[in-house]
Amino acid sequence: MVNYQAPGVYVQEVPSGARSIGQVSTSIAGFIGVSPDATAYPDEVRVLDNWTQFVDQYVGKATQGTPLSNAVFGFFTNGGSRCYVVNIGTGGSLTGTAAKPTGVTLFEAIDDISIVAAPGYSDADAYSALQAHVEHPLRQDRMAILDTPEKVDDVGSLTRAATSGLPGGDKPGGDAGEGKSGDKTDGKSDGAAGEESLGAPQSPGGYTALYFPWIVMTDPVSGKKVTQPPSGHLAGVWARVDATRGVHKAPANEPIQGALDLVRRVSRGEQEVLNPAGVNCIRYFPGEGIRVWGARTKAPEASEYRYVNVRRLTNMIKESVADGTRWVVFEPNDHTLWKSIRRDIGAFLTNVWRDGALLGTTPQQAFFVKCDEETNPPEVRDAGQVVTLIGIAPVKPAEFVVFKLMQSADNTQTENAGA
């Protein structure tokens, strides 16, 4: 307490106690693959803010790009602003070993990353490595964009998960019209004719999203047309939608900048097979061009996280609340603390609701925050815990737009506004 000596009026600034919770970034990507110069910074994480930096560090004297370089180019072309890159070198692993970690293992310590992709790696082992990374209980703050194999004769094979140890896709690489470098596989599991299982496994929490088919683009390194897995371009589309509309907007019905054509023109009938299985299609529409025409995760059909934007919005809220309430640790666990928690989280979610991310005409309809004696009984407090229950009502995309038309025998009459 200040010791006042002379009579008079004294004005003090008193902190309000409110602590603002800011939204974390949702558009920083992490890419794994082989760079044009396969010896450049192997098994090392590098952060990039533009395509020129990638060229300076990873292209060198190479005359042909790779799926990694094309993905990074597509990311920045479509609106991405920052990414992390790991060059695993020729024949490298997506995970590495305990003695020599690489790939997704190097991303574990980077909290900024919210999107992960390994362009062109589309077999069961790659799917497993990426899914294990994003679903780890200590993370669950990011999503993985998965690629399908380039050549798929039967789209139904993408609805069934590939099995580890069996062929499940082609290796990354190749020019358009010339096939791809690497081993060619057919996805057969018992010698029977046709492909059987080329898809990604289900993600119960919706932490992965699968896109089909590959795109055709101009390799910025060689200047030639090449076929390219779409994950890097899709990461850029996600980042662009985040910046222009918000993470709550489904990253679909969006153009893919730099995509000249598709390896396969998906029909409506084929998408009717793929969409319920969580395979997002990229389609061509006359007059509109190439567009992302799906917004589902690999969560089960009945899951509340079956839409990409719902999963990513939830991730953003979780991470933002965790970062913005770190001051709570070691505070006295009493009514004053509970009130402060309700106030800060409530203010944050109100802003999220105002951005259009939560459903409801009032904040009370859009969310609730409960932190009181009921959520924190004596046994919880004795364990050193403070428990807050948060409920949100995220908006979901209008995936199926239905118009019901009928004929009327009566003439339609329009009343004048001033009548």
Side-chain angles (χ1 to χ4, degrees), residues 158-299:
L158 296 176
T159 66
R160 299 178 289 273
T163 305
S164 180
L166 295 174
D170 297 323
K171 298 295 182 181
D175 291 342
E178 299 179 3
K180 301 186 300 300
S181 61
D183 300 329
K184 180 180 179 182
T185 59
D186 57 8
K188 298 177 183 178
S189 59
D190 58 3
E195 298 165 328
E196 292 194 348
S197 53
L198 297 179
Q202 280 193 345
S203 172
Y207 288 97
T208 62
L210 181 67
Y211 287 87
F212 173 79
W214 283 31
I215 64 175
V216 176
M217 65 171 291
T218 300
D219 181 348
V221 177
S222 68
K224 300 179 181 179
K225 288 185 179 180
V226 296
T227 57
Q228 168 69 17
S231 55
H233 290 67
L234 264 298
V237 171
W238 286 17
R240 184 178 73 223
V241 173
D242 289 354
T244 58
R245 298 287 301 276
V247 69
H248 62 278
K249 164 66 172 67
N253 198 5
E254 293 286 333
I256 300 180
Q257 304 296 336
L260 305 177
D261 201 353
L262 300 172
V263 171
R264 179 186 184 126
R265 297 286 179 92
V266 178
S267 67
R268 183 170 182 172
E270 289 174 330
Q271 186 164 18
E272 289 177 349
V273 174
L274 296 174
N275 194 67
V279 183
N280 297 315
C281 294
I282 303 170
R283 296 183 60 184
Y284 171 80
F285 296 98
E288 297 184 9
I290 297 172
R291 289 186 171 262
V292 184
W293 208 246
R296 293 206 174 193
T297 68
K298 285 298 293 180

Side-chain angles (χ1 to χ4, degrees), residues 71-242:
V72 173
F73 179 79
F75 173 72
F76 288 120
T77 299
N78 280 277
S81 58
R82 168 166 286 196
C83 68
Y84 291 84
V85 171
V86 175
N87 171 30
I88 61 176
T90 304
S93 168
L94 292 183
T95 57
T97 63
K100 187 180 180 182
T102 186
V104 293
T105 305
L106 298 177
F107 289 159
E108 293 177 358
I110 304 177
D111 290 334
D112 291 347
I113 293 176
S114 54
I115 307 169
V116 178
Y121 289 86
S122 55
D123 58 12
D125 293 335
Y127 291 154
S128 177
L130 291 168
Q131 185 167 337
H133 173 73
V134 297
E135 291 186 347
H136 193 281
L138 296 180
R139 279 180 294 278
Q140 297 186 353
D141 59 350
R142 59 197 66 181
M143 284 190 67
I145 302 179
L146 307 179
D147 292 313
T148 65
E150 177 183 359
K151 297 179 181 178
V152 178
D153 295 330
D154 175 19
V155 296
S157 64
L158 296 176
T159 66
R160 299 178 289 273
T163 305
S164 180
L166 295 174
D170 297 323
K171 298 295 182 181
D175 291 342
E178 299 179 3
K180 301 186 300 300
S181 61
D183 300 329
K184 180 180 179 182
T185 59
D186 57 8
K188 298 177 183 178
S189 59
D190 58 3
E195 298 165 328
E196 292 194 348
S197 53
L198 297 179
Q202 280 193 345
S203 172
Y207 288 97
T208 62
L210 181 67
Y211 287 87
F212 173 79
W214 283 31
I215 64 175
V216 176
M217 65 171 291
T218 300
D219 181 348
V221 177
S222 68
K224 300 179 181 179
K225 288 185 179 180
V226 296
T227 57
Q228 168 69 17
S231 55
H233 290 67
L234 264 298
V237 171
W238 286 17
R240 184 178 73 223
V241 173
D242 289 354

Side-chain angles (χ1 to χ4, degrees), residues 373-390:
E373 290 181 339
E374 187 175 349
T375 61
N376 296 279
E379 59 270 21
V380 171
R381 301 198 299 271
D382 290 342
Q385 301 176 0
V386 55
V387 177
T388 303
L389 183 62
I390 303 173

Side-chain angles (χ1 to χ4, degrees), residues 356-407:
L358 301 178
L359 183 65
T361 57
T362 64
Q364 291 74 22
Q365 295 176 346
F367 67 88
F368 69 83
V369 182
K370 185 175 178 60
C371 184
D372 51 24
E373 290 181 339
E374 187 175 349
T375 61
N376 296 279
E379 59 270 21
V380 171
R381 301 198 299 271
D382 290 342
Q385 301 176 0
V386 55
V387 177
T388 303
L389 183 62
I390 303 173
I392 60 174
V395 293
K396 295 179 173 62
E399 186 178 20
F400 307 104
V401 180
V402 180
F403 295 100
K404 294 184 178 180
L405 304 179
M406 63 178 294
Q407 292 185 0

